[in-house]
Amino acid sequence: MERVDIAIIGTGPGGLEAAITAINRNKKILLIGSRDFSDKVSKAHMIKNYLGLPDAAGDVLAKSFKNHIEGMGVEITEDKINAVYAMGKYFSLQGANETYEATTVILATGVVMAKPYPGENEFLGRGVSYCATCDAPLYKGKTVAVIAATKKEEAEADFLTEVCENVLYFPLYKETPSVCDKVTVINEKPLEIKGDMKARTLVTSEGEHNVDCIFVLRDAISPGQLVPGLATEGAHVKTDRQMTTNIPGCFVCGDLAGKPYQYIKAAGEGNVAALSAVDYIAELKKGEQQA
């Protein structure tokens, strides 16, 4: 895929505003996220402090967002980014469907509230994975566990049955799972991941399950795990007023940048992050011309 100027991860107010600003500055962008935008917006009862839209219901605000970006021709790529690697003068983004390249990256993923399971960080890449599509071939003919935060993960569990011998599915949502007959649904609460050199056991509220890999599938990944080396503070990314991070070319906006969790604040930060990315690209080009 062609390298873009700015990759924006997230389609909440921050990500959408960053996309609009970047396009207005004639930058080639890649906007990755849900075409349904953020549930936090569409399900909001009433928003009273968004300039120009007094007393707007969440669905009204979401519709305004949709009309705006469609009017500007902004396209949304529906994919889940599992890792972002700084490669020097560009970033490599590993998605569930393909790999992307961008000169700069803006993180607008929102805050990940779920805490990692004990052992999750320790065994990441060694029997713990966030992407079934990416890592399934490594476990051909093996037994794997899937911890699923939402029904959207059912498709990945079904896919795993095409490669793996046994797929144990642990749904964390209330709805009844609709998975294929080859998937074994286990209604037990995951508690811990144990192993030696690699993860080997998923401990639950009812006992232990010996597996070769544990796929932890959430809507979003914590920023420190998403971008190796990124400086964080709790659930947030450390940033300044220009929305820069400790990694050159990587910017942040919205809830991920810290409180208050307000739509108007997220949109403003998206604007700043995009402008900072534009300036960063200009400085890169200047340095290349002078070299």
Side-chain angles (χ1 to χ4, degrees), residues 196-226:
D196 38 49
M197 295 300 293
K198 68 180 293 296
R200 299 188 184 278
T201 305
L202 176 61
V203 181
T204 72
S205 56
E206 304 297 326
E208 297 186 353
H209 300 270
N210 295 324
V211 295
D212 296 290
C213 181
I214 299 156
F215 292 94
V216 183
L217 306 183
R218 303 187 181 98
D219 279 342
I221 300 170
S222 63
Q225 294 168 325
L226 179 65

Side-chain angles (χ1 to χ4, degrees), residues 13 40-41 44 47 49 110-113 233-237 253-267 269:
K40 292 180 181 179
V41 176
I47 301 162
N49 69 339
V111 173
V112 179
M113 296 300 183
E233 192 167 23
H236 305 130
V237 175
C253 63
D255 292 355
L256 195 57
K259 295 181 179 180
Y261 301 150
Q262 297 281 318
Y263 305 126
I264 191 71
K265 174 254 192 189
E269 289 180 344

Side-chain angles (χ1 to χ4, degrees), residues 39-107:
D39 286 343
K40 292 180 181 179
V41 176
S42 59
K43 293 181 179 180
H45 177 64
M46 192 66 68
I47 301 162
K48 294 181 175 293
N49 69 339
Y50 205 98
L51 183 64
L53 293 170
D55 296 328
D59 57 349
V60 173
L61 189 61
K63 186 176 181 180
S64 296
F65 289 170
K66 185 174 186 291
N67 291 339
H68 194 164
I69 67 164
E70 287 184 350
M72 293 188 64
V74 178
E75 295 183 1
I76 296 174
T77 298
E78 285 202 318
D79 200 351
K80 179 183 176 183
I81 299 301
N82 297 291
V84 177
Y85 299 107
M87 307 297 289
K89 293 185 178 180
Y90 73 97
F91 291 85
S92 176
L93 293 78
Q94 183 186 72
N97 299 324
E98 62 178 287
T99 299
Y100 312 93
E101 291 185 0
T103 304
T104 62
V105 171
I106 297 176
L107 306 176

